[in-house]
Amino acid sequence: MRQTNLTGEPADYVSAREELREAEIELMRHRERVAGLRRRLPLGPAVEDYVFEEGPADLEAGDSPARTVRLSELFTRPGRDLIVYHLMYGKKQTEPCPMCTMWLDGFNGVARHLAQNVDLAIVAAAGLPALRAHARDRKWTNLRLLGAGSGTFKYDLGSEDAEGNQDSTVSVFTRDDSGSVRHVYSVHPRMSDDIDQRGIDLLSPVWHLLDLTRQGRGNWFAALDY
């Protein structure tokens, strides 16, 4: 199957491109199988109704008054799941993670589309003023930002160790028929000894676009300027 109407494609290119197309189809089908396994996960344990700190909804309205909000209150209506992104910022992570920052730049742009189906919150161990200052610098006006530095939420979900070192993590929660919050899924960049950074690649269109090129991602971290 031709992907363009260009003329003069060498035979070795045509052959290699067809082999690649078949591999891409195989990958797509496998990805759909994996997504199906994820969707069919049984409910995990009921979790504590964790308490977070939140500032004014308007990011430009300053950082006070701050209020407390519980995990169960992050669900805006029945029948919706909640996605929580654990931002690597706070405690031992004294500067915001640049990789997390790139992802959240993207989340901010698509937040209104996500809101049609799910609820989304960003949780960090950093204090609210520092977290919101970084968000103002990045213009994250569409993201719900929560501080969790005084609680055990990040440790319990594996995005913080006992020394306060932070990790980027995504967690999904739902509510069961009784209204209890249940953990559904969490994933980290490090999935095994030989997979150090690829565990949550699906969050980043930047990397997928770079993977289309001959250079690939290259030394992506070295090129960051945040």
Side-chain angles (χ1 to χ4, degrees), residues 133-151:
H134 184 55
R136 277 190 287 271
D137 182 60
R138 305 305 304 180
K139 297 180 173 57
W140 291 341
T141 56
N142 299 319
L143 298 178
R144 188 166 190 179
L145 305 165
L146 306 171
S150 61

Side-chain angles (χ1 to χ4, degrees), residues 23 40 50-51 90 100 117 122 124 127 131 161 167-168 180-181 187 205 216:
R40 293 191 297 273
Y50 296 96
V51 176
C100 295
N117 296 85
I122 312 303
L131 173 60
D161 66 16
D167 193 12
S168 50
S180 296
V181 179
V187 65

Side-chain angles (χ1 to χ4, degrees), residues 17 19-29 212:
R17 181 65 186 90
E19 180 182 4
L20 174 60
R21 187 181 71 88
E22 293 293 337
E24 289 172 332
I25 292 170
E26 181 182 358
L27 175 61
M28 180 198 69
R29 289 175 174 157
L212 297 178

Side-chain angles (χ1 to χ4, degrees), residues 84-130:
V84 175
Y85 184 81
H86 303 245
L87 168 61
M88 291 176 65
Y89 187 24
K91 297 186 180 178
K92 292 289 187 177
Q93 183 82 28
T94 58
E95 296 293 330
C97 167
M99 183 173 67
C100 295
T101 294
M102 178 192 73
W103 282 332
L104 295 185
D105 283 348
F107 292 175
N108 184 71
V110 300
R112 66 187 183 96
H113 302 291
L114 291 171
Q116 297 180 61
N117 296 85
V118 298
D119 294 309
L120 172 69
I122 312 303
V123 173
L128 269 186

Side-chain angles (χ1 to χ4, degrees), residues 7 17-18 25 31 37 41-42 46 61 66 73 79 96 100 107-108 128 130 134 137 141 162 164 178 197 203 226:
T7 60
R17 181 65 186 90
E18 179 61 17
I25 292 170
R31 190 167 58 239
L37 291 172
L41 278 171
E73 296 172 321
C100 295
F107 292 175
N108 184 71
L128 269 186
H134 184 55
D137 182 60
T141 56
S178 71
Q197 292 292 340
L203 300 181
Y226 281 58

Side-chain angles (χ1 to χ4, degrees), residues 8 97 126 153 162 166 190:
C97 167
F153 175 78
Q166 305 295 302
R190 298 167 184 85

Side-chain angles (χ1 to χ4, degrees), residues 14-91:
V14 172
S15 175
R17 181 65 186 90
E18 179 61 17
E19 180 182 4
L20 174 60
R21 187 181 71 88
E22 293 293 337
E24 289 172 332
I25 292 170
E26 181 182 358
L27 175 61
M28 180 198 69
R29 289 175 174 157
H30 185 68
R31 190 167 58 239
E32 289 301 309
R33 288 193 294 271
V34 170
L37 291 172
R38 192 182 298 116
R39 288 191 295 269
R40 293 191 297 273
L41 278 171
L43 292 182
V47 297
E48 176 186 337
D49 201 5
Y50 296 96
V51 176
F52 308 99
E53 189 178 21
E54 184 174 30
D58 182 356
L59 192 58
E60 299 301 329
D63 303 324
S64 61
R67 69 185 187 100
T68 58
V69 58
R70 291 190 173 274
L71 181 65
S72 61
E73 296 172 321
L74 302 179
F75 295 85
T76 59
R77 57 182 182 268
R80 290 164 69 88
D81 288 343
L82 168 68
I83 300 173
V84 175
Y85 184 81
H86 303 245
L87 168 61
M88 291 176 65
Y89 187 24
K91 297 186 180 178

